[in-house]
């Protein structure tokens, strides 16, 4: 919210307060300040001039030579290419050795401004330059329509008394040197999206009196009554709480006076014409959007507020055709739609130079309705932004009266008597009991009731009652004041946040980590120790992400939690898995020629409950690991997973081949399993799944622009880790007795999983088998087609005695016998 300090002074006298003091005090009273910009502060030697003579440049068709009267001595010769100059025009002249804010046309803006000196243009001397509004520091979006192209021409009808100001400092004549403060307005304070709202805050902060704008129309008796011209009917009172219409006749559409244009420019809006400018001015002043219709284009003298027809096509003021739906609120006349309620007017009823009678609309629309309509149409305006946050219906009448008063003031038309005001369910202020003692206790201060009453009344909050209880009634514009805690905040900010005492929390302030968070930290440390980088990605994702990783149409990964009001399709749902996000990150690095990446994320996933819409979505943590590069393969990832699980105390994970999951290569994918709990085993379930890992399917890699690159990913459900983890460290004494080991090379079928071999070995290894380790896999002519050789190292040890060779051989033979019997695995002959 851009707030020109000069505009605030229209309602409260702060001329003795410096801009820095104003900013600092407003911050301490709760107004969040973004920036403070001083316009034209360094501009110098720029004066008002009059073009007395124009001649064609002898060597350039697009240049002219102007002789400018600057009030002193001979006329100044200046060469310009501006197309809109003419003899007798009053213009800003940057003389030799002047400084302007800039930027010059087609050049970037320079720090400290641009110095202008005399020079030659195509051989003709030029002793300065004529300036456009943009060259004097104004952004293109706020330059008045009349001055958008070419030099800033000062029309005497707009810039009153400019004829007597030749040679005077341009910035002083137009009062350009002023400060504009940019406040960040939080969603709970829509009343501050208005100059009056900010002036009210400043008045309370500085303890000054506050004066409302003049809304009294002096001569509303010469053109009849507003009700003689228009009738208003609200058919959707839920989405239109109030509609006020006033009539203005004998309208003269022209440029606004400079004081009005200047207010709009510094507040970030472009001046267009007097009628449009006044409605924009009052919108910025009151925070109440307004609109003006040409009454000749309102058929039947009827205003009807109702929903659009489904599929109706409507052309808005920006000349765009828009297809409407039946949930969009419209303003209609007796025959057709003429405006999208709360968003934008229609081209079929706009104000033109021929307009003579207008309807001033000041209405209150439901914020949710306006937000939905604006989003569907892709059309967000200053008006819709205000309605979305909520506006007090009681502002509409005052805003309409203010528009009429300004029209009368500048002579832009004659105002009809009264208004047509349809207000089905008036909003009244709500009274609440607030305790003085409670406020002091929460804030840790001791201030009297009288001081609190003074602070609240400074905010136009009515206070009644006696003793500890204050019966407070806020103005209806303060829709954020609904509970006692809200008044605690009001007292705190008016007292001054900088004056509140600093205290430590009472009781035990020691905070500890939950077990789940400790496990996440252990996981992070383990993966970082293995060379992985932690990433964080958005929980809001596109539903197309699961398409890119080839998830089946009926899979649980598509049970999305959908956002009601998403920023766009690319973040319209909550993620169910982390793999698409990981692939996005890997692909982004790959596209920037990063040769190798190893990353992981521990993040929330969300699952909808379609069977029970009243139940909140399930929210769980997941761990996703991803990597690519020369030194990465399936077994590298398997080792990383095994080491991570080992750190978490999860023993004996089982990797079971998986070929049906579309995300991964069917021959290089495994599900990660661990022993099931006793309860699960009792119902016949031997293993519980932790997650899945493998090489990303080539089609998935191609979807992410990584065709030809081998990518490896893993996703593990952290809830399962939480159930299985055991980080308690149990120390054992070093073994007293020696171990003995045996190496075996087994000839097995190619499709036999190594995990099954290990399982048989461990089941027959008795109590003396200490460990089994795979150390070699061989395929080749020596073992034959369809076969492979797998070599294991088996370590035997007895904790109670030294094993004899006979004892080891007995167990070892039982192992070999079981391997042959169950798996047809035989010792390989050299």
């Amino acid at each position: 919210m851009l707030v020109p300090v000069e505009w605030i002074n229209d309602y409260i006298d702060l001329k003795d307060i410096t801009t820095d003091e104003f900013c600092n005090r407003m911050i301490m009273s709760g107004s969040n300040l973004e920036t403070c910009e001083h316009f034209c502060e360094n501009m110098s030697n720029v004066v008002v001039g009059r073009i007395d003579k124009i001649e064609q440049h002898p060597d350039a068709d697009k240049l002219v030579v102007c002789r400018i009267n600057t009030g002193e001595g001979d006329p100044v010769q200046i060469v310009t290419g501006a197309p809109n100059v003419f003899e007798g025009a009053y213009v800003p002249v940057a003389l030799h050795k002047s400084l302007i804010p800039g930027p010059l046309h087609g050049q970037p803006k320079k720090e400290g401004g641009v110095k202008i000196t005399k020079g030659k243009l195509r051989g003709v001397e030029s002793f300065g330059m004529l300036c456009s509004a943009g060259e004097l520091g104004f952004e293109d979006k706020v330059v008045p329509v009349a001055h958008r192209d070419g030099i800033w021409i000062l029309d005497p009808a707009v810039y009153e008394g400019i004829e007597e100001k030749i040679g005077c400092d341009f910035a002083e004549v137009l009062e350009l040197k002023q400060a504009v403060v940019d406040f960040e307005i939080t969603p709970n304070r829509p009343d501050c999206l208005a100059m009056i709202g900010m002036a009210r805050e400043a008045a309370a902060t500085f303890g000054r009196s506050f004066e409302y704008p003049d809304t009294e129309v002096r001569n509303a008796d010469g053109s009849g009554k507003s009700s003689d011209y228009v009738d208003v009917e609200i058919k959707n009172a839920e989405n239109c709480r109030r509609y006020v219409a006033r009539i203005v006749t004998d309208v003269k559409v022209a440029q606004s006076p400079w004081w009005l244009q200047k207010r709009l420019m510094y507040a970030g809006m472009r001046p267009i014409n007097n009628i449009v400018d006044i409605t924009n001015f009052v919108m910025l002043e009151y925070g109440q959007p307004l609109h003006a219709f040409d009454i000749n284009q309102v058929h039947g003298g009827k205003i009807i507020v109702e929903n659009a027809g489904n599929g109706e096509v409507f052309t808005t003021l920006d000349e765009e055709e828009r297809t409407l739906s039946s949930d969009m609120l419209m303003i209609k006349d007796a025959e057709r739609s003429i405006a999208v309620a709360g968003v934008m007017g229609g081209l079929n009823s706009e104000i033109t130079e021929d307009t003579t009678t207008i309807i001033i609309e000041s209405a209150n629309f439901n914020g949710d309705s306006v937000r939905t309509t604006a989003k569907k149409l892709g059309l967000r305006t200053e008006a819709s932004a205000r309605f979305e946050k909520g506006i007090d219906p009681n502002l509409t009448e005052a805003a309409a009266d203010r528009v009429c008063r300004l029209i009368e003031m500048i002579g832009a038309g004659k105002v009809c008597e009264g208004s047509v005001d349809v207000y089905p369910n008036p909003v009244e202020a709500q009274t609440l009991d607030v305790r003085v003692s409670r406020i002091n206790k929460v804030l840790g201060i001791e201030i009297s009731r009288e001081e609190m009453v003074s602070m609240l009344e400074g905010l136009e909050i009515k206070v009644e009652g006696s003793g500890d209880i204050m019966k407070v009634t806020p103005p209806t514009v303060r829709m954020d004041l609904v509970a006692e805690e809200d008044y605690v905040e009001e007292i705190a900010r008016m007292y001054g946040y900088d004056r509140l005492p600093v205290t430590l929390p009472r009781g035990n302030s020691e905070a500890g980590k939950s077990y789940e968070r400790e496990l996440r930290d252990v996981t992070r440390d383990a993966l970082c120790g293995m060379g992985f980088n932690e990433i964080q990605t958005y929980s809001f994702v596109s539903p197309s992400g699961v398409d890119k990783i080839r998830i089946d149409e009926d899979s649980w990964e598509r049970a999305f939690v959908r956002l009601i009001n998403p920023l766009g399709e690319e973040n319209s749902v909550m993620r169910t898995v982390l793999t698409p996000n990981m692939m996005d990150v890997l692909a982004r690095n790959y596209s920037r020629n990063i040769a190798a990446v190893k990353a992981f994320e521990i993040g929330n996933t969300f699952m909808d409950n379609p069977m029970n819409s009243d139940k909140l979505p399930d929210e769980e943590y997941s761990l996703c690991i991803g990597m690519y590069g020369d030194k990465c393969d399936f077994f590298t990832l398997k080792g990383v997973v095994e080491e991570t699980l080992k750190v978490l105390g999860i023993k004996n994970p089982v990797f079971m081949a998986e070929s049906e999951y579309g995300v991964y290569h069917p021959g290089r994918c495994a599900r990660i399993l661990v022993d099931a709990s006793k309860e699960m085993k009792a119902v016949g379930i031997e293993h519980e799944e932790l997650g899945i890992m493998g090489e990303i399917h080539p089609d998935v890699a191609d979807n992410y622009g990584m065709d030809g690159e081998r990518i490896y990913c893993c996703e593990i459900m952290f809830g399962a880790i939480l159930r299985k983890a055991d980080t308690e460290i149990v120390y054992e004494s070093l073994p007293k007795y020696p171990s003995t080991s045996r190496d075996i090379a087994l000839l097995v079928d190619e499709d036999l999983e190594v995990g099954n071999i290990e399982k048989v070995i461990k089941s027959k290894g008795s109590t003396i088998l200490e460990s089994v380790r795979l150390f070699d896999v061989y395929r080749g002519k020596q073992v034959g087609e369809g076969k492979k050789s797998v070599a294991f190292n088996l370590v035997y040890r007895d904790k109670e005695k030294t094993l004899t060779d006979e004892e080891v051989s007995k167990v070892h033979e039982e192992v070999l016998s079981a391997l042959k019997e169950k798996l047809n695995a035989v010792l390989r002959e050299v």
Side-chain angles (χ1 to χ4, degrees), residues 582-597 628 701 703-707 709 711:
M582 178 60 72
M583 287 300 300
D584 282 334
V585 172
L586 296 180
R588 194 175 304 118
N589 281 271
Y590 182 79
S591 68
R592 287 163 173 74
N593 299 316
I594 306 300
V597 173
Y628 70 83
N703 289 340
Y704 285 90
M706 300 179 72
D707 187 25
E709 185 69 28
I711 310 144

Side-chain angles (χ1 to χ4, degrees), residues 27 33-34 97 119 131 136 149 161 285 290 386 398 440 518 585 608 680-681 723 791 823:
I27 290 172
L33 184 146
E34 291 283 328
K97 293 185 178 179
C131 300
L136 295 179
D149 301 314
E285 187 175 46
L290 301 108
R386 283 168 166 77
N440 280 326
E518 285 183 350
V585 172
D608 194 17
M680 295 177 72
K681 285 185 176 181
R723 292 190 297 272
L823 303 177

Side-chain angles (χ1 to χ4, degrees), residues 556-557 577 579 621-625 637 641 645 650 653-658 661 664 669-674 687-694 713-721 723-724:
W556 60 266
E557 287 97 331
V577 287
T579 302
Y621 273 97
S622 286
L623 164 65
C624 187
I625 302 171
L637 179 60
V641 172
L645 296 179
I650 300 175
V654 176
F655 296 85
M656 181 177 291
E658 170 62 57
Y661 194 55
Y664 297 101
C669 175
R671 294 198 178 273
I672 307 164
L673 310 175
V674 291
H687 292 98
E688 181 178 350
E689 185 174 340
L690 290 185
I692 192 167
M693 58 161 284
C713 282
C714 166
E715 184 147 354
I716 297 175
M717 298 173 286
F718 217 87
I721 287 179
R723 292 190 297 272
K724 294 294 181 181

Side-chain angles (χ1 to χ4, degrees), residues 283-348:
M283 178 183 69
L284 293 173
E285 187 175 46
Y286 276 85
Q288 168 65 49
L290 301 108
H291 188 66
F293 299 103
D294 184 338
I295 199 168
N296 291 327
Q297 303 301 323
V298 179
H299 297 170
K302 186 84 172 175
I303 292 289
I304 302 171
V305 186
E306 65 176 344
N307 286 30
N310 201 32
E312 178 183 347
V313 177
F314 181 71
T315 304
T316 45
L317 278 172
D318 57 2
E319 301 183 5
E320 292 285 335
E321 279 195 354
R322 304 181 187 277
T323 302
L324 310 177
S325 58
S326 59
D327 60 344
M328 296 179 181
L329 191 67
M330 302 295 291
I331 309 300
K332 301 182 180 182
D333 60 19
E335 301 175 5
R336 59 188 181 158
S337 295
I338 56 176
V340 183
V343 181
M344 185 178 282
L347 191 64
N348 56 10

Side-chain angles (χ1 to χ4, degrees), residues 344-372:
M344 185 178 282
L347 191 64
N348 56 10
S349 60
E350 71 171 332
I351 304 294
T352 66
E353 292 181 358
D354 299 328
T355 298
T356 57
T357 303
I358 61 174
I359 302 173
I360 301 297
E361 171 195 277
S362 180
N364 185 274
F365 302 111
N366 179 279
D368 292 338
S369 172
V370 172
R371 183 186 301 111
T372 301

Side-chain angles (χ1 to χ4, degrees), residues 39-180:
F39 280 82
C40 302
E41 191 175 38
N42 298 321
M43 191 166 77
S44 62
N45 208 20
V46 180
V47 301
V48 177
R50 184 185 66 217
I51 302 176
D52 286 345
K53 188 175 183 180
I54 299 177
E55 297 176 343
Q56 181 63 46
H57 191 289
D59 295 321
D61 293 338
K62 295 185 178 180
L63 296 179
V64 294
V65 181
C66 300
R67 300 195 181 277
I68 315 293
N69 181 355
T70 58
E72 292 184 6
D74 296 332
V76 175
Q77 178 174 292
I78 293 179
V79 179
T80 181
N84 64 326
V85 294
F86 56 90
E87 292 182 359
Y90 295 90
V91 292
V93 184
L95 300 172
H96 175 55
K97 293 185 178 179
S98 61
L99 183 67
I100 62 173
L104 298 181
H105 179 67
Q107 298 181 15
K109 192 168 185 177
K110 293 183 179 180
E111 188 74 25
V114 179
K115 293 180 180 178
I116 303 299
T117 58
K118 65 181 180 179
K120 288 186 177 182
L121 288 176
R122 301 290 293 270
V124 176
E125 285 190 309
S126 182
F127 295 88
M129 69 176 285
L130 306 183
C131 300
S132 67
E135 289 161 342
L136 295 179
F138 293 95
E139 294 184 18
D140 179 68
K141 68 178 182 179
V142 304
V143 175
V145 169
H147 309 317
R148 287 187 66 179
D149 301 314
I151 299 305
W152 192 340
I153 304 295
L154 306 176
D155 185 348
V158 176
Y159 304 87
E160 199 171 321
I162 198 68
E163 301 96 329
E164 286 78 39
K165 301 297 182 181
I166 294 175
C168 296
D169 185 274
F170 184 79
E172 290 183 4
V173 170
L174 269 66
E175 298 179 326
L176 296 179
K177 294 185 179 181
Q178 59 174 285
V180 176

